[in-house]
Amino acid sequence: MWFKNLQIYRLPAPWNYTPEQLEKALEPQSFVPSESNELLRQGWDAPRPNGGLVHTVNKQMLIMLGTEKKLLPASVINQVAKAKAAELEEQQGFPPGKKAMKDLKERVADELLPRAFTLRSNVWTWIDPVNGWLVVDAASPAKADDVVKLLLKAVDKMPLESLRVQKSPVAVMTGWLEADEAPYGFTIDQDTELRATGESRAAVRYVKHTLEPDDIRRHIAAGKQCTRLAMTWNDRISFVLTESLAIKGVKPLDVIKEGESPTYNDEERFDNDVVLMTGELAKMLADVVDALGGEAKA
């Protein structure tokens, strides 16, 4: 298993918090399936079937936030409420007023909720206590925030901070494109986004398209800056670096897959993937930070 999108946070390195301590801290917020009248339920779930809340491989920890959400579209509520309002109007000779209609919609929602379709989703988090990384596999900051808020609630005084670097990712990525030169260990791929900083917010996107240096420089000279840039690290992992310092579209390349050890069952394959992923990503993240001028200290 490989994380696809990285929302990146920092812990002290080393972080002297054992898997047993983390397991105990998460237990009060364990995931329990939602009741029939609940719209949303979240909690920590076991990363592996029949396992604990913290899965540890080679000192690396994996945890998983489980979410169950009932899907009850407002259009469905409105449709049923409208039909019931028509029945009431026929019975009493006049349509329900504004307050009565609001109460009617609330009753309809309560009636429909037990029959609503339940959507289950999981958000994985990797904790590297050796190198001080905490990475949430989430495409949006909002999903990562759900994980972080619940984690900070579970672990008292957890020394967690957002990753901060010395140089602006936008300025640095723009400089790489303008110079047509990636930092050592990286190559620039064929996807990027250049966006104007003025009110127009005009944007140019390249998707699987050769980035011609002269064209890129013209866009930069016109006031556009790079907000997303596809790159490859050491011919091993491709990804997209964003202006917010999130890393998206992570993909291990064939050179990594060729080095995988033979395994005999799902558990071994999973653990081997975790060892490989965490080892490679820890090195890659360190190189990304170095390419952006190093970490910004408080």
Side-chain angles (χ1 to χ4, degrees), residues 1-8 10 60 62 126 128 131 133-137 163 186 233 236-239 247-253 256 273-289:
M1 59 90 65
W2 274 78
F3 283 20
K4 299 292 189 297
N5 301 289
L6 315 181
Q7 303 288 339
I8 309 163
R10 262 317 207 173
Q60 305 298 302
L62 286 181
W126 156 45
D128 178 355
N131 299 295
W133 298 110
L134 186 145
V135 178
V136 183
D137 185 8
L163 174 63
F186 295 87
W233 170 74
R236 300 177 72 79
I237 300 173
S238 66
F239 63 93
I247 292 177
K248 299 189 174 184
V250 175
K251 184 179 179 182
L253 303 182
I256 289 182
D273 282 350
V274 171
V275 170
L276 189 60
M277 178 190 77
T278 57
E280 295 290 335
L281 288 183
K283 296 173 190 173
M284 188 191 83
L285 291 177
D287 284 353
V288 169
V289 169

Side-chain angles (χ1 to χ4, degrees), residues 15-65:
W15 184 48
N16 297 315
Y17 206 79
T18 67
E20 291 76 21
Q21 288 175 306
L22 184 57
E23 177 96 23
K24 186 176 180 181
L26 298 182
E27 280 177 356
Q29 299 171 356
S30 296
F31 180 81
V32 178
S34 63
E35 301 290 339
S36 61
N37 61 345
E38 278 187 307
L39 195 59
L40 179 70
R41 174 67 68 92
Q42 286 185 319
W44 302 108
D45 209 349
R48 301 302 296 152
N50 304 314
L53 297 179
V54 181
H55 186 76
T56 308
V57 186
N58 194 32
K59 298 182 180 179
Q60 305 298 302
M61 306 182 205
L62 286 181
I63 59 176
M64 187 176 76
L65 180 65

Side-chain angles (χ1 to χ4, degrees), residues 25 30 60 97 145 168 196 199 227 235 250 293:
S30 296
Q60 305 298 302
D145 285 346
S168 159
E199 292 182 4
T227 55
D235 296 324
V250 175

Side-chain angles (χ1 to χ4, degrees), residues 97-223:
K98 189 174 182 180
K99 184 179 184 305
M101 197 63 196
K102 181 182 177 182
D103 293 341
L104 181 59
K105 287 182 179 180
E106 290 176 355
R107 290 200 303 272
V108 166
D110 290 340
E111 292 172 6
L112 294 177
L113 194 56
R115 292 178 284 158
F117 180 75
T118 300
L119 182 65
R120 174 64 193 263
S121 62
N122 299 313
V123 179
W124 293 77
T125 298
W126 156 45
I127 300 174
D128 178 355
V130 179
N131 299 295
W133 298 110
L134 186 145
V135 178
V136 183
D137 185 8
S140 70
K143 283 192 176 182
D145 285 346
D146 288 343
V147 173
V148 169
K149 287 175 184 176
L150 210 59
L151 193 55
L152 292 176
K153 185 178 178 181
V155 181
D156 187 41
K157 297 180 181 178
M158 187 174 188
L160 184 65
E161 297 180 351
S162 296
L163 174 63
R164 294 180 297 128
V165 291
Q166 294 281 358
K167 299 178 181 178
S168 159
V170 169
V172 172
M173 291 189 294
T174 303
W176 293 339
L177 287 176
E178 190 170 26
D180 191 27
E181 185 176 357
Y184 178 77
F186 295 87
T187 56
I188 294 174
D189 297 337
Q190 295 185 319
D191 290 41
T192 190
E193 178 182 89
L194 296 158
R195 187 176 291 277
T197 56
E199 292 182 4
S200 70
R201 298 293 289 168
V204 175
R205 295 184 181 91
Y206 289 80
V207 179
K208 296 182 180 179
H209 192 289
T210 301
L211 307 182
E212 297 291 347
D214 289 344
D215 290 342
I216 296 296
R217 291 186 187 115
R218 276 195 292 271
H219 289 303
I220 293 172

